[in-house]
Amino acid sequence: METFNLHILGCGSALPTLHHNPSAQVVEIRGKLFLVDCGEGTQIALRRSHQRFTAINAIFISHLHGDHCLGLMGLISTFGLLGRTAPLHIYAPGDLEPLLEAEQKVYCSHLDYQLVFHAIDTRQSAVIYDDRSVSIETIPLEHRVPCCGFLFREKPTLPHIRREMIDQYQIPLCYINVIKNGASWELPDGTILSHEELTIPAAPARSYAYCSDTRYMPHLHERLKGVSLLYHEATYAADKRDNAAKYFHSTAAEAAQVAADAGAGRLILGHFSARYNDESVLLSEAQAIFPNTILAREGLSVEVL
């Protein structure tokens, strides 16, 4: 199966502490690396994770709170010092662009690579990135500032050829891709072997949804139907539900309800309030609603299944 992995660099603590790093994740799909959010210290976490972080070609910023973007200029500068030449694409709310331009003039005015900024509208769902392997679309969220999540959808792959059929009927190797794309094969006696006889269906396409800072949205699950893996903020336990609503955050139980309503495969909780030295209370509340839940932690790598 093609690679589709999530690497958590920072759990997204609402307040950076010695316990957790600010938000940052690497999504790895078929050899491509995408960085999602870039809180302070992200480049240090990238080095510790042993990721090929110089191969990152796109960065996605959910919103302009410091714990999600203050590490960006440092990473941009480091890319320059390491001799990067490939363009770096940044997808973020439009208000970030003039800030980056001002910082670039001060800290790294002579980059040998191009920064390509893509302003995103956090109020609507739209495909903002698309290639042969993956499409990435925005997920409108409700926070104190314009904010969106990101939904990574793997592109379907071609079916697998049945090797025993190739060997038995001596089908030329040059014809394998033609069969994978839907063709049948005619034997010398005129017998037709159908595409279905010659192939095995590919594994279902997978998906990953990153739901950054947001209050509980009763209809959010409609955008996430059948998602393979969901990351959803869980800043508070249920006894702080009023705080969650006031500050536009979610409880662990609310995150689990989104996962359950969406029919998600798995749920990762993150963005914990600094009040919780032991986040097991959050995990227990979520698992009571959605059992297949785990807690985010620095250095955690999860295969998207």
Side-chain angles (χ1 to χ4, degrees), residues 74-217:
L75 184 60
I76 289 171
S77 176
T78 295
F79 280 152
L81 293 173
L82 292 175
R84 182 187 182 103
T85 57
L88 178 64
H89 294 263
I90 298 174
Y91 298 79
D95 287 345
L96 181 60
E97 185 172 19
L99 299 177
L100 281 181
E101 290 176 347
E103 287 186 300
Q104 185 180 349
K105 289 178 182 178
V106 174
Y107 298 113
C108 42
S109 59
H110 300 291
L111 293 175
D112 290 327
Y113 68 94
Q114 182 184 10
L115 282 181
V116 184
F117 190 89
H118 305 265
I120 56 179
D121 185 349
T122 61
R123 299 166 298 178
Q124 64 179 5
S125 179
V127 175
I128 57 173
Y129 179 95
D130 188 76
D131 65 22
R132 295 177 60 183
S133 302
V134 62
S135 68
I136 304 170
E137 61 190 77
T138 50
I139 307 169
L141 299 174
E142 296 180 5
H143 195 41
R144 300 192 307 276
V145 298
C147 181
C148 69
F150 302 102
L151 178 56
F152 293 74
R153 294 187 186 274
E154 180 184 37
K155 294 290 182 70
T157 57
L158 294 174
H160 304 292
I161 201 77
R162 294 179 59 184
R163 181 57 188 262
E164 70 274 15
M165 299 290 280
I166 298 297
D167 293 341
Q168 180 177 350
Y169 297 107
Q170 298 183 338
I171 299 174
L173 295 180
C174 62
Y175 203 74
I176 287 178
N177 278 336
V178 180
I179 293 173
K180 285 185 175 183
N181 280 283
S184 57
W185 177 255
E186 183 176 355
L187 299 179
D189 64 1
T191 301
I192 301 295
L193 299 176
S194 69
H195 167 76
E196 289 72 23
E197 291 177 285
L198 295 167
T199 60
I200 300 170
R206 297 160 292 178
S207 55
Y208 168 62
Y210 173 79
C211 290
S212 177
D213 300 21
T214 183
R215 66 179 177 183
Y216 175 62
M217 299 170 62

Side-chain angles (χ1 to χ4, degrees), residues 8-26:
I8 296 178
L9 308 173
C11 291
S13 174
L15 178 65
T17 66
L18 294 176
H19 189 41
H20 284 309
N21 297 330
S23 296
Q25 300 182 359
V26 171

